[in-house]
Amino acid sequence: MNFKGKDIISIRDFSKTEINFILKYAKKMIPYAKGEKTTDILHGKVLSSLFFEPSTRTRLSFESAMNRLNGKIIGFADPTATSQKKGESLADTIRMAEAYSDIIVMRHHLEGAARLAAEFSNVPVINAGDGAGRHPTQCFLDLFTILLEKKKIDGQNVILLGDLKYGRTVHSLAYALALYGAELTFVSPKNLQMPKEIVSECKELGANIQSTSKLDKAIRNADVLYVTRIQKERFPDAEEYNQVVGTYQINNELLNNVNENLIIMHPLPRVTEISPEVDQTDFAVYFKQAFNGVPIRMALLSLLTGETL
Ligand code: CP
């Protein structure tokens, strides 16, 4: 399978066979991601890291991935320190990054920005999150985490919880899990439900779907609980946010009656939706999940540049 030169804009651009290939290749990257083995397959390659929106995990794990492969990184995490401040267009910024590097990773607040960037670039563009749109590398690492923790993705009973309206990670993950025949339960406040078109798409792919606002019953049979933050920055109206913030909080009391093999995932950052006491339980895999971003992004950087182990 050849991914050299390909853009990564949406998980929808990948078949299940391609996803499985990438996850298998990412497994090979784990000892390199941990620093137990070394490689210089990306020696001489440069990554442009363009973050127009805040990030901790995505940006740092891409940087870690590039460093672990012995490549170099240029870029910015503060767009106000770039010529965008002087009115430069996104297209021109991308033309510059293309001229200076071999691959571009970009996070932007506007949905569709990554697809636009890919049109102006002859080097691969990786979407690191575009507004409320897509976050495909997060989706790869979420699937990878389920695979590593549960030994298979097919047929898992998965709850997606929280902000299902604006949450780009759950939009991508719902679609991908549908490819694997998951049993999906969407749990959210009424005004933050999963968009209807994503529900229809998942059903067409064969997923069994339920929607509810009540977590306590749904959680009893779940294999995976995927928690999301209610994202204040995505709400057009502060009053709408105030009505739903704090609706769900995962704590040890809630976890008394769950499947003992349940795993709790979260793309992070979290604020109040998972109590810190849960971090000490065997259910919590969200910090391992965040680490899994490194081997996944190493695999993607390697495959897109065509420099493989
Ligand atoms: N999961 C995720 O995208 O985290 P950051 O916003 O910190 O990159």
Side-chain angles (χ1 to χ4, degrees):
M1 220 168 271
N2 186 1
F3 294 92
K4 187 174 178 184
K6 192 173 163 68
D7 302 306
I8 300 184
I9 307 301
S10 166
I11 198 72
R12 285 166 176 73
D13 301 335
F14 293 84
S15 67
K16 184 176 169 185
T17 308
E18 289 173 324
I19 294 171
N20 284 337
F21 177 90
I22 290 166
L23 300 185
K24 193 170 171 193
Y25 185 52
K27 269 193 188 176
K28 275 198 197 176
M29 291 291 179
I30 292 173
Y32 300 93
K34 289 181 173 171
E36 294 164 358
K37 288 186 179 176
T38 58
T39 174
D40 61 359
I41 55 171
L42 291 198
H43 178 74
K45 299 286 182 196
V46 178
L47 169 71
S48 278
S49 167
L50 315 181
F51 278 74
F52 292 88
E53 258 202 340
S55 166
T56 297
R57 277 145 294 276
T58 310
R59 187 170 70 82
L60 295 185
S61 62
F62 262 114
E63 290 194 6
S64 176
M66 196 64 185
N67 277 303
R68 294 290 194 197
L69 296 170
N70 235 319
K72 295 253 190 294
I73 303 140
I74 58 172
F76 55 82
D78 176 8
T80 63
T82 73
S83 288
Q84 186 201 39
K85 188 85 179 149
K86 301 176 214 163
E88 184 162 62
S89 67
L90 177 63
D92 283 359
T93 304
I94 293 299
R95 285 184 176 108
M96 295 305 98
E98 179 203 25
Y100 303 149
S101 61
D102 304 290
I103 188 162
I104 297 170
V105 59
M106 184 180 83
R107 172 170 288 189
H108 201 280
H109 53 279
L110 290 178
E111 195 169 339
R115 187 87 59 195
L116 180 88
E119 283 173 21
F120 286 96
S121 172
N122 286 319
V123 301
V125 172
I126 302 177
N127 182 5
D130 59 338
R134 316 283 179 218
H135 194 354
T137 64
Q138 178 71 43
C139 189
F140 276 115
L141 79 88
D142 291 341
L143 295 172
F144 191 52
T145 301
I146 295 172
L147 179 64
L148 293 180
E149 296 296 323
K150 294 288 188 183
K151 309 299 171 220
K152 64 171 189 160
I153 305 171
D154 292 271
Q156 298 289 336
N157 183 333
V158 182
I159 295 177
L160 302 182
L161 172 75
D163 176 3
L164 307 186
K165 180 178 176 183
Y166 298 113
R168 57 192 172 200
T169 62
V170 283
H171 296 168
S172 300
L173 187 58
Y175 170 86
L177 287 170
L179 291 179
Y180 287 85
E183 304 269 324
L184 296 173
T185 306
F186 298 149
V187 184
S188 69
K190 279 216 157 39
N191 56 345
L192 290 180
Q193 286 178 345
M194 186 66 84
K196 284 194 174 62
E197 61 275 15
I198 297 181
V199 177
S200 306
E201 192 180 24
C202 291
K203 281 185 180 163
E204 275 167 31
L205 288 169
N208 195 353
I209 294 182
Q210 300 195 33
S211 298
T212 176
S213 58
K214 304 232 178 319
L215 176 62
D216 47 354
K217 197 166 160 214
I219 201 174
R220 282 182 215 145
N221 298 319
D223 301 308
V224 179
L225 172 62
Y226 191 96
V227 186
T228 62
R229 178 174 62 96
I230 308 278
Q231 303 173 95
K232 190 173 185 178
E233 68 274 23
R234 305 269 178 241
F235 280 75
D237 175 8
E239 187 46 38
E240 193 193 357
Y241 171 76
N242 290 334
Q243 281 168 12
V244 291
V245 64
T247 306
Y248 304 106
Q249 196 197 35
I250 311 303
N251 54 34
N252 283 351
E253 192 187 340
L254 178 78
L255 298 173
N256 275 335
N257 295 315
V258 299
N259 171 356
E260 64 177 346
N261 296 318
L262 173 76
I263 59 168
I264 301 175
M265 299 173 62
H266 192 308
L268 304 177
R270 60 145 167 212
V271 276
T272 58
E273 61 279 7
I274 300 180
S275 170
E277 67 187 12
V278 177
D279 300 356
Q280 314 307 324
T281 70
D282 291 340
F283 302 119
V285 303
Y286 30 90
F287 295 121
K288 284 198 250 179
Q289 178 187 355
F291 165 76
N292 290 338
V294 181
I296 277 291
R297 290 171 175 131
M298 289 172 76
L300 295 172
L301 291 168
S302 163
L303 291 168
L304 267 50
T305 52
E307 304 293 343
T308 52
L309 285 174

